Amino acid sequence: MDNSIYESMTAANRLLEKQNIISNNLANISTTGFKEKFIFIIHNNINDDYYNNIREYYNLTSGGLDHTNRNLDVYVKGDGWLVVKDANGKEAYTKNGHLNINQKNQLTIQNHTVVGNNCSIIVPNNGTLNILSNGVIQLIQNYHNHIIKNKIGSLKLVHLPINDLIHKENGLFYLKNNSKKANYNTIKHSNDIRLQSGMLESSNVNSAQNMIELISNARQFEMQMKMISTYNQNAEYANQLININN
């Protein structure tokens, strides 16, 4: 009896964990470049490991495209990623191409400094930025009716091993600690990573699918709680019978 209660409690906890992930997906429907996450609970009861086997899965397919016509908005095509530094100075990866310029004249994404391709990107105060499809950043200036274009750096674009990615609460992707060093292809060595300026990739969350999963998990959780209640009642009846017989 106790083992049955344990199994139902474990299942309920895993369903709650799954529910939190789905709720987070739905909360980020409007988040630029967000990738939805799912977990699969593998049902087994081998070695008292019932419902403990979990596999995470990120849907890395592209979301829809929003035309912003803003020169600092870029869409990273295919399986390319932008590179930023988090608050701890660690490299992280994102599909969010909404770039801004901070007070230090650095390019940022969600207040995280954008990493350049073997360079530090410092934006001069005068002129307009133009980001080319290969990640090169141009400064366009007008001197006496003459347009001058100067390269001030380029964005670091990388390919990443999909199975080694993990998404953290700051909204950025990282490589798992136990993964091997990524086989990076910077823009200098890659011809297949391309950008489209004036566009942003929207969230790829499927609201209908996630709502169905949310309702299904709620019903499964309710079923597990009813099973726990039934187990408790049966235990009480059993104890009463034992007391009567004694």
Side-chain angles (χ1 to χ4, degrees), residues 53-65:
N53 204 351
I54 291 178
R55 294 291 182 269
E56 294 184 350
Y57 165 74
Y58 296 100
N59 177 10
L60 297 180
T61 59
S62 296
L65 297 181

Side-chain angles (χ1 to χ4, degrees), residues 62 65 74-81 95 133 157-159 192-197 199 201:
S62 296
L65 297 181
V74 293
Y75 159 57
V76 187
K77 298 181 179 180
D79 60 353
W81 294 78
K95 281 286 192 175
S133 62
L157 304 174
V158 297
H159 291 295
D192 62 334
I193 302 179
R194 284 292 179 266
L195 304 177
Q196 178 67 51
S197 62
M199 304 175 70
E201 180 181 347

Side-chain angles (χ1 to χ4, degrees), residues 87-106:
N88 297 318
K90 185 177 181 180
E91 278 199 0
Y93 314 99
T94 182
K95 281 286 192 175
N96 184 346
H98 184 64
L99 282 74
N100 289 288
I101 303 173
N102 64 12
Q103 294 180 347
K104 297 180 181 179
N105 286 10
Q106 299 171 318

Side-chain angles (χ1 to χ4, degrees), residues 28-221:
N28 284 280
I29 287 179
S30 301
T31 301
T32 301
F34 182 83
K35 301 301 179 184
E36 63 181 354
K37 175 183 176 181
F38 296 102
I39 63 173
F40 295 98
I41 303 174
I42 299 176
H43 306 270
N44 65 73
N45 55 359
I46 301 175
N47 297 326
D48 294 327
D49 196 28
Y50 191 75
Y51 277 98
N52 278 341
N53 204 351
I54 291 178
R55 294 291 182 269
E56 294 184 350
Y57 165 74
Y58 296 100
N59 177 10
L60 297 180
T61 59
S62 296
L65 297 181
D66 296 326
H67 295 263
T68 65
N69 295 322
R70 180 175 176 267
N71 60 327
L72 289 182
D73 285 341
V74 293
Y75 159 57
V76 187
K77 298 181 179 180
D79 60 353
W81 294 78
L82 291 164
V83 184
V84 299
K85 284 190 176 181
D86 64 13
N88 297 318
K90 185 177 181 180
E91 278 199 0
Y93 314 99
T94 182
K95 281 286 192 175
N96 184 346
H98 184 64
L99 282 74
N100 289 288
I101 303 173
N102 64 12
Q103 294 180 347
K104 297 180 181 179
N105 286 10
Q106 299 171 318
L107 286 178
T108 63
I109 296 175
Q110 293 179 312
N111 296 321
H112 302 294
T113 305
V114 175
V115 176
N117 182 27
N118 297 320
C119 65
S120 297
I121 304 173
I122 302 297
V123 181
N125 291 322
N126 56 334
T128 303
L129 290 187
N130 181 38
I131 302 177
L132 304 182
S133 62
N134 61 358
V136 170
I137 305 171
Q138 289 182 335
L139 180 69
I140 302 176
Q141 297 172 306
N142 189 338
Y143 284 107
H144 306 292
N145 295 325
H146 292 285
I147 302 299
I148 299 177
K149 298 179 180 180
N150 292 313
K151 176 182 175 181
I152 64 171
S154 62
L155 300 174
K156 184 176 181 180
L157 304 174
V158 297
H159 291 295
L160 298 173
I162 295 176
N163 294 330
D164 289 333
L165 290 178
I166 186 170
H167 189 248
K168 295 191 177 181
E169 292 180 357
N170 60 5
L172 302 174
F173 278 86
Y174 294 81
L175 291 176
K176 295 178 182 177
N177 292 331
N178 60 352
S179 66
K180 296 180 180 179
K181 183 176 178 60
N183 180 22
Y184 296 142
N185 289 316
T186 62
I187 196 70
K188 183 180 295 184
H189 303 101
S190 177
N191 294 320
D192 62 334
I193 302 179
R194 284 292 179 266
L195 304 177
Q196 178 67 51
S197 62
M199 304 175 70
L200 288 175
E201 180 181 347
S202 61
S203 169
N204 71 347
V205 174
N206 185 322
S207 58
Q209 180 182 353
N210 278 269
M211 283 299 299
I212 292 172
E213 288 280 343
L214 198 72
I215 295 170
S216 175
N217 286 338
R219 290 174 177 171
Q220 292 181 55
F221 179 80

